[in-house]
Amino acid sequence: MQKEANIEQNKSHYDNQYQRINIDRIADVLNNRDSYLEGATKTDISWVGMYYGNLEQRLSGKKVLELGCGDCFNVAIMASLGAKVYANDISDRSGEIIKALNKRFEFNYPIDFISGDITHANFTEHNFDYVIGKAFLHHLTLQHEEQVLKVSSSILKATGEARFFEPAINSKLLDEIRWAIPIKDRPSKLFSPKKFKQWEESDPHPHRDNSSKHFKTMGANYFDEISIIPLGVLERFYRLMPSTKDKNGAFKRRALKLEKYLPGFMRYTGARSQTIIYKKPKG
Ligand SMILES: C[S@@+](CC[C@H](N)C(=O)[O-])C[C@H]1O[C@@H](n2cnc3c(N)ncnc32)[C@H](O)[C@@H]1O
């Protein structure tokens, strides 16, 4: 799918989805930030990945750009931790949420919203400490992703870091099994192929390579140091548990903790997600 068509599809999908975002819920999280982060960074794979290596302790006073900030929970948390946050999304709703957050909270630095695709933005400053994205890159076509990494590399300080939390598809077999299992509004590709095709047409993800190998190769064009942390080889099985089980996240917490003791090839092949850390931007 072409870049602009893909952006349009994502925009209409998320403008609609974020109508449901409730500012009071973000306010609740901010009012209980430390206990929220303590739980989320141990049980919710996206927060485990995003804050890998205790990122929360390094954000105060740092200049951070979040790409695809979406529901704005993460930008709100980073701003409350004392970071100077620039939030970017194509959804206008993200901009509305940020306006409301700035009104309601006295952050050290109010959050700046950069609307639209970042490859069209004019950056006068090139001194960011972090460029981050949580479940963002896999929404871009490969060519678009390359442009975004180029921009990211050009606006970071020499000591800066780009960090992305993304799905990991390192095994074709596991991927096919994943599509076969129906979840929420997604029918099974194996058992309901027609319904799956219909669902796929409105899905905002382009067909693309989301392997760790891909992110390593792509990143090497713009960064000299790359680390990929595979996540979720055990945690992914929570989907097989009855929905009444693991209400307090005990299974996920244990699974995410225990996977560290597994051999590297097993973690890599079975990962469902990954944290990608790019350092030493070629600028
Ligand atoms: C899966 S959501 C993740 C949102 C949020 N980061 C989170 O973790 O909940 C992907 C986000 O990327 C945004 N997005 C997609 N394409 C984009 C683009 N070209 N530029 C900026 N944001 C984009 C979507 O609007 C959506 O908010």
Side-chain angles (χ1 to χ4, degrees), residues 23 28 98 112 127 129 139 185 196:
I23 307 287
D28 272 354
I98 282 165
D112 265 308
N127 55 353
D129 295 290
H139 281 265
D185 59 339
F196 179 83

Side-chain angles (χ1 to χ4, degrees), residues 7 10 14 18 66 68-71 88-90 117 134-136 139-140 144:
I7 291 178
N10 268 272
Y14 285 105
Y18 297 148
E66 178 166 351
C69 63
D71 56 20
N88 161 250
D89 208 288
I90 47 173
D117 186 72
K134 186 156 154 296
F136 167 70
H139 281 265
L140 312 180
H144 188 184

Side-chain angles (χ1 to χ4, degrees), residues 193-208:
K194 264 196 189 148
K195 284 190 186 155
F196 179 83
K197 193 108 202 87
Q198 275 169 6
W199 167 85
E200 205 177 22
E201 270 158 26
S202 61
D203 180 47
H205 302 93
H207 284 284
R208 47 159 288 166

Side-chain angles (χ1 to χ4, degrees), residues 40-42 44-53 163-170 174 212 228-237 252 255-260 262 264 266-277:
T41 56
K42 290 199 170 64
D44 180 325
I45 195 164
S46 70
W47 290 86
V48 173
M50 195 77 260
Y51 283 84
Y52 178 83
R163 169 183 290 231
F164 299 97
F165 169 81
E166 299 295 332
I169 315 276
N170 292 335
L174 279 179
S212 301
I228 309 255
I229 300 101
L231 293 164
V233 57
L234 301 175
E235 184 266 3
R236 68 188 311 153
F237 292 106
K252 288 185 186 174
L256 287 161
K257 196 170 165 192
L258 284 179
E259 72 174 37
K260 295 179 193 118
L262 294 177
M266 217 184 233
R267 291 174 56 206
Y268 173 88
T269 311
R272 94 167 169 101
S273 305
Q274 56 193 321
T275 299
I276 302 145
I277 299 179

Side-chain angles (χ1 to χ4, degrees), residues 150-167:
K150 189 174 180 185
V151 172
S152 303
S153 159
S154 75
I155 61 171
L156 279 166
K157 287 178 179 168
T159 52
E161 170 181 318
R163 169 183 290 231
F164 299 97
F165 169 81
E166 299 295 332

